[in-house]
Amino acid sequence: MDLATIVGFIAGVVILITVLILDGGSPVELIAHPAPILLIVGGSLAATTISSPLKEVLKLPKLIMLAITQNHFEPLEVIELITRMADKARREGLLALEDEAKKIKEPFLQKGIMMVVDGVDPHQVREILESSIHHMENRHRRGAGLFAAAGGFSPTFGIIGTVMGLISVLKQLDDPNQLARSIASAFLATLWGLLMANLIYLPIASKLKSRSEEEVQYRYMIMEGILAIQAGENPRIVREKLMAFL
């Protein structure tokens, strides 16, 4: 699990509840009226579904898991592996890497090494790997965009909920007691709209963008290592070049 995501969310909720109590309120008030919550969550997700392809929207549970789990990149291990392969390639030739390449667990690295072993032109190797990174980055951008869109719709639906609540308030002007409760419920919609946007939707979008940038850099590091092996560079130079990415 990604502690930053979990700790940040818990801290946000604790601060919200603490401030609410200090202002003389109660945490129960946040969920006392389920209608605003339903409007904000359901409305923002519905609007996001309208603005995005359905196949992308269906990935929301997977994207949430990506935001709360830790990336399993091991750049130091990959650098050491590439350095060993660079040394072996200089001593025994590129064809000597074929058996070792089949044992590589990192699919991107394995794909690149197999192209090198097959004698693919270095320019083509770079183009293919860069194209793979580019399309991966586009997929990640679309995923983060879903939560960014939901974060934009959420406050608007909060305002819609408040307006709907105030319309109800105007029908109860002859009952002061009911009037106060209706006004509180109306403004609760605005609170939930802002809360969902700034504590859930937008932070998840930013986290997914950060994860994407990390993976893009990781793959560019691997690509440079593959091309260095193909060029027959000194293993020590290869290692120093890749360490610069860290």
Side-chain angles (χ1 to χ4, degrees):
M1 301 294 285
D2 180 27
L3 289 180
T5 303
I6 303 300
V7 171
F9 176 75
I10 293 175
V13 172
V14 169
I15 291 172
L16 174 69
I17 293 175
T18 301
V19 172
L20 185 62
I21 293 173
L22 291 176
D23 285 342
S26 168
V28 178
E29 295 174 2
L30 291 175
I31 57 176
H33 304 280
I37 302 175
L38 177 62
L39 176 64
I40 304 309
V41 176
S44 58
L45 291 180
T48 302
T49 302
I50 294 172
S51 65
S52 307
L54 182 60
K55 64 179 182 179
E56 296 294 334
V57 177
L58 294 177
K59 297 178 182 178
L60 282 174
K62 180 181 179 180
L63 293 172
I64 293 173
M65 290 303 299
L66 286 175
I68 64 177
T69 55
Q70 189 70 39
N71 277 341
H72 297 291
F73 302 141
E74 298 292 345
L76 289 176
E77 290 184 10
V78 170
I79 289 174
E80 293 303 323
L81 175 59
I82 292 175
T83 302
R84 290 198 303 272
M85 287 192 294
D87 181 59
K88 185 173 184 178
R90 277 171 64 92
R91 289 186 289 102
E92 304 176 25
L94 293 175
L95 291 176
L97 300 178
E98 184 172 7
D99 290 336
E100 189 169 354
K102 294 177 180 178
K103 302 176 184 178
I104 296 175
K105 296 180 180 180
E106 168 57 58
F108 187 74
L109 176 58
Q110 184 185 56
K111 175 182 177 180
I113 294 298
M114 290 306 297
M115 285 193 292
V116 169
V117 171
D118 291 340
V120 179
D121 181 77
H123 180 69
Q124 286 186 307
V125 172
R126 178 180 289 275
E127 280 190 344
I128 292 171
L129 295 180
E130 284 184 341
S131 177
S132 175
I133 295 173
H134 175 70
H135 290 300
M136 179 200 72
E137 194 172 9
N138 284 339
R139 291 194 301 272
H140 292 177
R141 188 180 296 112
R142 289 195 297 270
L146 288 177
F147 287 95
F153 293 129
S154 182
T156 304
F157 275 96
I159 296 173
I160 292 173
T162 297
V163 173
M164 292 171 62
L166 292 177
I167 291 174
S168 177
V169 167
L170 294 175
K171 298 177 181 179
Q172 301 167 354
L173 294 178
D174 57 342
D175 186 353
N177 293 329
Q178 185 63 31
L179 183 64
R181 287 194 293 270
S182 297
I183 292 175
S185 176
F187 282 101
L188 191 61
T190 299
L191 173 61
W192 270 104
L194 295 171
L195 187 62
M196 291 294 295
N198 293 283
L199 191 59
I200 297 180
Y201 293 142
L202 296 180
I204 289 180
S206 296
K207 174 66 71 163
L208 291 175
K209 290 178 183 177
S210 175
R211 290 285 172 80
S212 177
E213 292 170 359
E214 182 181 356
E215 187 168 0
V216 166
Q217 183 172 340
Y218 175 71
R219 292 201 175 193
Y220 270 117
M221 179 195 75
I222 292 176
M223 184 185 72
E224 291 299 329
I226 292 168
L227 294 172
I229 291 174
Q230 188 173 28
E233 295 184 10
N234 186 298
R236 290 191 297 274
I237 301 300
V238 172
R239 188 176 190 281
E240 291 300 320
K241 180 188 293 187
L242 300 186
M243 288 297 293
F245 282 86
L246 305 184

